[in-house]
Amino acid sequence: MTDQPVTRGGIALVLGGGGPVGHAFHCGVLAAIEAATGWDPRHADLVLGTSAGAQVAALLRAGMSTSDLTTRLSGAELSPEGARIASLYVRPDQPEGHFLPIPQAPEILLHALRHPRHLSLIDIGVGLAPKGRVSMQPMIEGVNAMFDAAWPDRTWITARDLNTGDLVVFKGRGDKPTARFGEAVAASGAVPGRSVPVRIDGRSFVDGGTHSPTNADLVGPAQPRVVIVSSPLTLPPEDRAGAGDVLKRLLRRRLREELSRLPADTRTVVFEPPASLRQVMGWNPMKTDLMGPVAEATAETFSAHEATDRLGKLLTAA
């Protein structure tokens, strides 16, 4: 399988970062979209995945239905195809080796200090984080097995070069650095300080979400007609949350700036967790025991929602 040109004027699906809880949010959003509009997210003309979103993108492109995406998180019985795909998906969680409190990316930290105008607290955090101990190799092998080591069509995955701090978009079309799909997906979700960085072409890569929670502006060159953004880590524009959600407000601003850079005739629909849903999601995005309840609550929240209704009208107008 070789990557095909992205259809201009099509539908782009942007799946952002957010850990296991964000993964569950994506599953609930996609299930609600299909139930309300009849549109199958597996048919998106372009899927851009970051971190948890990269993993959901892999499951979608492997053929897992929205029903199976949510069912898998509840522990209920999957369809035969869903069970086959799920058997290959691995979420690494076993630390290896010894912890060493040595910053893994001093280059990023030094760059931030040399360019204070572009100073980013996230960059500083990535630079100071020690090297993680959880190997992403099981995920690499499992995702590659889903696709027989090929790259699914029209699927872009983001990761961050740990040596330069640059964001890299893996597209599976001979771009440099060259990555297998499993390597790209695992790199996109390699959380600094937790996961071992993924080596690709002699370079180390970590979570694409350390650059942006969604990286939504990257789909601009494809000139999509509609962009659907599932963003677990940002707040809806009308949400005036308290001081505890300062970071989410900053990330919301970052997402709006990215969307402003899309073509003028592109229509965007953004799914973000309202306050009632954030209460279910909690404050720790890494809590796997919340995945089932979060997926269920998200699907219910967006089954009848302004964003879902607007998307339905845009899809009908196609």
Side-chain angles (χ1 to χ4, degrees):
M1 193 186 314
T2 57
D3 191 42
Q4 300 298 312
V6 175
T7 303
R8 296 184 183 276
I11 300 172
L13 176 61
V14 176
L15 302 172
V21 171
H23 182 124
F25 177 85
H26 292 319
C27 294
V29 165
L30 297 176
I33 287 174
E34 183 166 16
T37 70
W39 179 73
D40 188 337
R42 291 176 294 184
H43 299 156
D45 297 287
L46 171 63
V47 178
L48 172 69
T50 292
S51 195
Q55 297 162 26
V56 176
L59 294 171
L60 272 181
R61 288 312 205 199
M64 185 173 281
S65 67
T66 58
S67 175
D68 278 335
L69 281 173
T70 54
T71 298
R72 182 179 69 88
L73 302 183
S74 69
E77 185 175 357
L78 297 170
S79 71
E81 179 63 6
R84 182 193 69 80
I85 297 169
S87 71
L88 299 173
Y89 177 78
V90 179
R91 183 182 300 281
D93 60 4
Q94 296 300 316
E96 301 176 356
H98 300 285
F99 173 75
L100 295 174
I102 301 173
Q104 67 172 345
E107 300 92 341
I108 292 179
L109 180 58
L110 290 173
H111 182 272
L113 294 175
R114 288 175 186 146
H115 301 83
R117 289 182 58 188
H118 304 287
L119 188 64
S120 164
L121 294 178
I122 294 178
D123 286 354
I124 293 175
V126 173
L128 289 176
K131 183 176 180 180
R133 298 169 56 210
V134 176
S135 172
M136 302 299 286
Q137 190 60 34
M139 177 176 286
I140 292 173
E141 295 173 359
V143 172
N144 281 335
M146 287 183 197
F147 300 94
D148 293 327
W151 193 285
D153 292 343
R154 302 178 300 278
T155 307
W156 298 355
I157 303 296
T158 69
R160 198 170 195 195
D161 189 322
L162 198 56
N163 303 108
T164 65
D166 294 335
L167 182 71
V168 174
V169 187
F170 295 101
K171 300 180 180 180
R173 292 163 54 180
D175 298 331
K176 294 294 185 179
T178 302
R180 295 182 300 166
F181 190 59
E183 291 173 333
V185 170
S188 189
V191 179
R194 179 182 184 273
S195 306
V196 178
V198 175
R199 297 285 290 176
I200 298 173
D201 264 5
R203 294 153 66 180
S204 295
F205 290 86
V206 294
D207 197 326
T210 63
H211 179 269
S212 160
T214 57
N215 299 296
D217 53 334
L218 294 176
V219 302
Q223 299 181 15
R225 182 178 63 84
V226 177
V227 175
I228 305 167
V229 182
S230 178
S231 179
L233 293 178
T234 59
L235 299 178
E238 69 279 3
D239 198 320
R240 306 302 178 188
D245 283 319
V246 169
L247 178 58
K248 284 183 168 57
R249 291 205 301 271
L250 292 174
L251 295 179
R252 172 177 64 192
R253 183 185 306 168
R254 174 68 174 267
L255 173 57
R256 265 60 196 184
E257 291 172 352
E258 292 172 355
L259 296 179
S260 72
R261 293 193 285 270
L262 294 176
D265 58 348
T266 294
R267 299 293 175 259
T268 62
V269 182
V270 182
F271 292 83
E272 298 165 297
S276 58
L277 183 53
R278 294 201 306 279
Q279 290 181 353
V280 181
M281 297 170 72
W283 63 271
N284 183 0
M286 301 306 292
K287 287 185 68 67
T288 56
D289 59 330
L290 291 179
M291 295 180 75
V294 168
E296 181 180 356
T298 302
E300 181 177 353
T301 296
F302 291 110
S303 61
H305 188 274
E306 180 183 355
T308 318
D309 292 343
R310 181 166 182 266
L311 177 60
K313 293 175 182 177
L314 289 173
L315 295 175
T316 302

